[in-house]
Amino acid sequence: MPSVDAPARRWGSAGARDVAGLGVARAIGFVAPALLLIGVFLVFPALWTLYIGITDYQLTGPSAAAPSVVGLDNFAAALDDALFANSVWLTALFVLGSAVVGQNVLGFSLAWLLSRVRPWLRRTTEGLVLLAWILPGPVVAYLWFAVLSRDGGTLGLLLGDPTTAWLVRYPMASLIVFNVWRGTAFSLLLYTSALAAVPPSQVETARLAGASGWQTVRDVVFPHVRGHVLTNTLLISLWTANDFTPFLLTAGGPNHESEVLPVLIYRQALESGRLGYASAVSLLLLVGNLLVALVYLRLLRRRS
């Protein structure tokens, strides 16, 4: 009687690894569409941006028709540019204030509070928060522009000071509050799902032992949701660092005081026509995103 692993010996080590029995050709056929999409929409644009970044490519003029290779000059110019340094600082402030702190804290707080209210109230609140997230960016930006406008803005009328130009006097603070309001829905949904996996018996035991709300979250809840916190922080940090919506509110002004990196790239590429320089800045932003992702992945690996 043949042994159970006879087919594995017959096909060798390669056949033993083919558990599904698809064969190499079929397996490649299944993953080919995904690889094609990744190549077309991710790999090719990244390589094309790298090529433009090492040239003096311009939007108009002789360099638009026949760009020449300048090597790393664009990258050196960016690192020595005061506007680039200013944008890096503003982007870090924008990510830290609106994503790492704002959306994380508000999203978790709402999820924790809503876990103990009536279902109809929880669903209503979640729906209202989600509405801010699913609305198109230009629509949300227009609504907030109407709220913060100096000419009859809603906030100024409520505070009795309709002449305050909030987007001019406090541009980054306005953008941070705007992004917290708009992006908290994702954190709320993720933390709501994470809290559902926390054993209710442990939470109840902590309450019976006299633990405060903060102690319960720190000692009982947080160890169960630590991985979700890291994942959420990674995603919202990357989304915020690459968000172009601030341009719709302030266009980087006044005097570059809200010019985060995506806005700087847009203005250098399409307003100044320096496509090579803008591509170099884009690659530096990509490298920054990769470094942030590696840090978070290292923290996740250490946790597991």
Side-chain angles (χ1 to χ4, degrees):
M1 182 174 182
S3 60
V4 176
D5 58 346
R9 290 198 303 269
R10 186 182 307 160
W11 295 103
S13 59
R17 289 194 297 269
D18 189 10
V19 179
L22 294 175
V24 176
R26 288 185 179 180
I28 294 177
F30 277 115
V31 300
L35 294 178
L36 178 63
L37 291 175
I38 292 174
V40 171
F41 293 103
L42 291 179
V43 178
F44 174 74
L47 294 177
W48 183 250
T49 303
L50 176 61
Y51 165 71
I52 296 177
I54 60 174
T55 67
D56 62 349
Y57 196 45
Q58 298 282 333
L59 189 62
T60 59
S63 296
S68 58
V69 176
V70 296
L72 301 178
D73 289 353
N74 288 325
F75 298 92
L79 296 177
D80 194 45
D81 189 357
L83 288 180
F84 175 75
N86 175 68
S87 293
V88 170
W89 160 248
L90 293 177
T91 302
L93 182 64
F94 187 48
V95 172
L96 180 64
S98 65
V100 177
V101 176
Q103 294 180 25
N104 249 332
V105 173
L106 183 58
F108 183 85
S109 300
L110 286 174
W112 176 249
L113 294 174
L114 293 176
S115 64
R116 294 177 288 179
V117 301
R118 296 181 180 275
W120 68 268
L121 181 58
R122 181 175 67 252
R123 288 192 295 267
T124 302
T125 306
E126 290 176 350
L128 292 175
V129 176
L130 187 62
L131 183 63
W133 189 46
I134 63 177
L135 285 175
V139 175
V140 178
Y142 175 78
L143 293 175
W144 271 81
F145 189 84
V147 171
L148 301 174
S149 175
R150 173 172 49 189
D151 303 323
T154 306
L155 181 60
L157 294 176
L158 291 175
L159 297 178
D161 187 10
T163 61
T164 301
W166 301 97
L167 293 174
V168 176
R169 293 184 60 182
Y170 313 103
M172 281 308 301
S174 300
L175 291 180
I176 289 173
V177 173
F178 160 77
N179 198 53
V180 171
W181 175 85
R182 185 191 178 201
T184 298
F186 179 82
S187 300
L188 169 62
L189 296 177
L190 190 146
Y191 287 137
T192 299
S193 176
L195 290 175
V198 178
S201 58
Q202 296 184 10
V203 177
E204 188 62 28
T205 301
R207 290 175 179 170
L208 292 176
S212 63
W214 164 244
Q215 291 173 331
T216 302
V217 171
R218 182 191 62 190
D219 299 330
V220 178
V221 176
F222 186 73
H224 290 282
V225 302
R226 186 181 301 141
H228 297 82
V229 173
L230 292 175
T231 301
N232 179 68
T233 305
L234 169 61
L235 293 176
I236 62 179
S237 297
L238 296 180
W239 290 340
T240 302
N242 297 277
D243 189 14
F244 186 69
T245 310
F247 179 83
L248 303 176
L249 283 173
T250 64
N255 193 26
H256 308 284
E257 291 184 16
S258 62
E259 194 175 60
V260 292
L261 280 173
V263 178
L264 173 69
I265 294 169
Y266 170 83
R267 299 188 68 176
Q268 292 294 326
L270 298 183
E271 294 183 4
S272 300
R274 303 170 64 189
L275 293 178
Y277 178 83
S279 297
V281 176
S282 298
L283 285 172
L284 292 175
L285 176 59
L286 175 62
V287 171
N289 289 336
L290 292 176
L291 292 177
V292 171
L294 289 176
V295 170
Y296 281 118
L297 291 176
R298 185 177 181 85
L299 291 175
L300 282 172
R301 189 179 297 113
R302 181 179 299 177
R303 171 186 174 272
S304 58

